[in-house]
Amino acid sequence: MPKVTLRLFGFGDRADRFREETRAITHGATVRSVWEELRTTTGQEELLARIDEGAVLVLINGRPIHQLEDWQTVLDNGDKVTILVKAFGG
Amino acid sequence: MIRNISEQRILNVDLTSGQTWVEDLPREELFRFLGGRGIAAKILYQRVNAGIDPLGPENVLIFSTGTLTGTSAPSSGRSSVTCKGPATGLYLKVSVGGHLGAELKYAGYDHIVFSGASERPVYLWIDDGQVEIRNAHHLWGKGTRETDRLIKEGVGDEEVQTAVIGPGGENKVLFACIMVSLYNSASRGGVGAVMGSKNLKAVAVRGHGGLRVAEGEAYFDLATRMRQELAEDAGTESLYNWGTSGSIPGLNEMGMLAAYNFNQVTIEGAERLSGQHLVDEGYLTGRESCFSCSTACHRYVRSKSERYGDVNDSGPELETVMALGAECGIVETEAVLKANQLCNDYGLDTISMGHVLSWAMECYEKGLLKGEAEELDLRFGNADAQLEMIRRIAFREGKLGDLLANGTKRAAEEVGHDSWKWTIQAKGLEQSAVDTRAAKSYALAFAVNPRGPDHLMTETYAEFGFTEESRALIRKITGDERYANPTLLDKRAEIVRWHEDCYAASEALGFCVFTSTAAFAVNPENMAQLFGHALGLEFSEEELMLGGRRIVTVERCFNAREGARRKDDHLPWRMMNEPVPEGPNQGMVTDREMLDRLLDQYYELHGWDPETGIPKQKTLEALSLLELCGDVAQLRVGIVGSAN
Ligand code: SF4
């Protein structure tokens, strides 16, 4: 089964600000399917459900998904998937 | 006194003679140059002759408020400081928040123009209509914090707003800044050194007047709607939560976190530099807004550590933690908070300071700096050495402190060998920590920036397309949202010019560019309408953007008159010659060929001569600038020397 590394920033409280886990995915899994799964299996469903998709930045191997196939981007074995709450500033 | 917003007043202060006088700004000038940054650019152009010493009495120092500063328009409390810059020898404008601008408006002035130089240290005290040049002997040598406190004590009013230099400005460090309203830094390019060269320690203002807009109800309704939209914006929410350094984790993940003098683009332990970390670990003690802004992106922090002592100060911005932290290979939170505090108190620009030190660290590790650098062991990651060097630079102490106080360009000329290639500077200004190898609009914007390569004149954040709104903006500018991709070369000129115009217009009106080009509630349409309501006239988005372009063109003409040409529009050597070493952008570079292509597109779009980069006569005509800047259209290549 293919596996991806998930790196989650900025979702939980202090103790859970950054989390990394390896997750098995099905063949053909997309960013959206992993995101949906995450929202129901992390133990933080309530928190994640409140987060608007538009406020989330997803990177695959450091590349923003809107430069790929957006939420429909198909994940490969070994991909690093970073999910952050958007932030900006200078 | 209640004044109409359209009746702008310029306070002139000749520090040589000690005379002060007020002039009224002709109303039509306000329509043409929009206010603040625009009026200052025009005054600078008229009053400063080409070739003068930026640290001599012939230079002027202009404090300008935005036209709408002091009103209820959201995030409109910004002011600017303009002069000929000592680091570059070119046009210099810095924008700053806080409350000084509004206070100056209430005291009855829109701009202060300082000329000449005082023989002894002085400060300017403005108490409504009373203007007084006061002795500042007791303030000279003091840090910015203590100076602010002593002034307030002296006049017996805690509500006084100040603009203050520290030892950095007094000692004419070429990247000295001015601290405004205690915690806001008017940084970049050595504007504090110009103030120091005039023996002007501070400006202190108290005003009790008010402002009248022409169409009060319409103005208030629109300002309120914009305020609500801003409050609902995800970008401003993140700015409130984590401040600008909330971007650190994302930048590190994308391989865009400049580290080790741009030799790396990620750093182990980056999260310790982040705004999230400041919140989580209890460093954050409060949040603060500039006048009339509800975003509150500024932080207050406190830390106690045996090694670095106590810090109770304003929090570091994103660029500060990148420059003083990652660029110097330092990720200890307490060390970076301390370095930020020292820079603020000495009155030094944290961006340039970080790059000066990271360059010195690279030189030391490569064997080009000996003596004091060896004694201090000035290697990457050595926070103790960094803190000591900040102090020495502020006071120009020792050979190394004095050398580095002149910035990396001049220091590299002394150190020699290949050290100039490691300076992250162009035109003499240290670049912000944006990786211009992997973001082509930023590359172009930085190369043509009249004050040198940084993000605070034109931040083309939208090219990343991170949000629906930014992709919509790219669609509006280019016709296709696929251009929301920073690695493309096409359409970068259009993206840069739009942002230049918008930035210039925002700053002329007093708006914070965070809210006009990153969050989108303060958009050109809204700004134009507010300007119209304030002045009682119909004013379109197109007219506003044209006003912005007029400002950008005057700034360009100023530099052309100083001898700047196309060849001066470039990036730091490393950005153009050393590809990104790692991460998703590995191998990218913005080389000479790419930059030339970008410049060709950009000059053509502007109507500037492709050989020289000087605005053409017909361009000046179309912008009604021939009368002001006609001398520039006559310039030919080679008549005046290069600025670089
Ligand atoms: S967004 Fe931040 S910097 Fe801009 S006006 Fe508001 S508080 Fe000041």
Side-chain angles (χ1 to χ4, degrees), chain B residues 99-100 102-104 106 125-127 148-149 151-153 155-162 181 204-208:
Chain B
H99 297 248
L100 179 79
E103 200 71 28
L104 191 59
Y106 299 154
W125 168 230
I126 301 174
D127 188 9
D148 177 87
R149 183 180 63 74
I151 288 175
K152 285 172 175 162
E153 265 176 29
V155 298
D157 188 343
E158 272 298 302
E159 301 298 315
V160 165
Q161 296 298 319
T162 62
S181 300
V205 186
R206 190 71 171 106
H208 298 87

Side-chain angles (χ1 to χ4, degrees), chain B residues 42-77:
Chain B
K42 178 182 168 283
I43 294 173
L44 185 75
Y45 196 90
Q46 287 175 318
R47 297 204 192 173
V48 168
N49 292 327
I52 61 129
D53 175 5
L55 296 178
E58 301 84 10
N59 202 359
V60 297
L61 185 70
I62 309 164
F63 285 76
S64 282
T65 65
T67 296
L68 305 183
T69 298
T71 73
S72 63
S75 84
S76 64

Side-chain angles (χ1 to χ4, degrees), chain A residues 7 9-10 13-14 17-18 54-57 59 61-64 66-67 70 80 82 84-90, chain B residues 235-236 238-239 242 244 246-247 249-250 253-254 276 280-281 318 455 461 464-467 471 486 514 518 584-585:
Chain A
R7 289 165 65 80
F9 289 86
D13 57 15
R14 176 181 167 175
R17 179 68 77 189
F18 167 68
V56 171
L57 173 63
L59 311 171
N61 304 319
R63 282 222 172 290
H66 68 264
Q67 288 174 14
D70 221 338
K80 186 173 87 172
T82 304
L84 307 113
V85 172
K86 282 175 191 165
F88 74 89
Chain B
T236 50
S238 93
L239 279 172
W242 304 318
T244 51
S247 304
E253 290 292 296
M254 288 188 291
Q276 291 85 335
D280 294 346
E281 299 304 318
L318 172 67
H455 63 300
Y461 178 77
F464 285 97
F466 286 138
T467 63
R471 292 193 287 274
F514 282 167
N585 301 314

Side-chain angles (χ1 to χ4, degrees), chain B residues 318-348:
Chain B
L318 172 67
E319 284 288 341
T320 300
V321 297
M322 291 211 277
L324 294 173
E327 282 284 58
C328 294
I330 295 167
V331 291
E332 278 172 283
T333 314
E334 288 88 357
V336 176
L337 296 183
K338 185 70 184 181
N340 179 54
Q341 183 195 37
L342 287 182
C343 286
N344 287 342
D345 199 37
Y346 293 144
L348 297 165

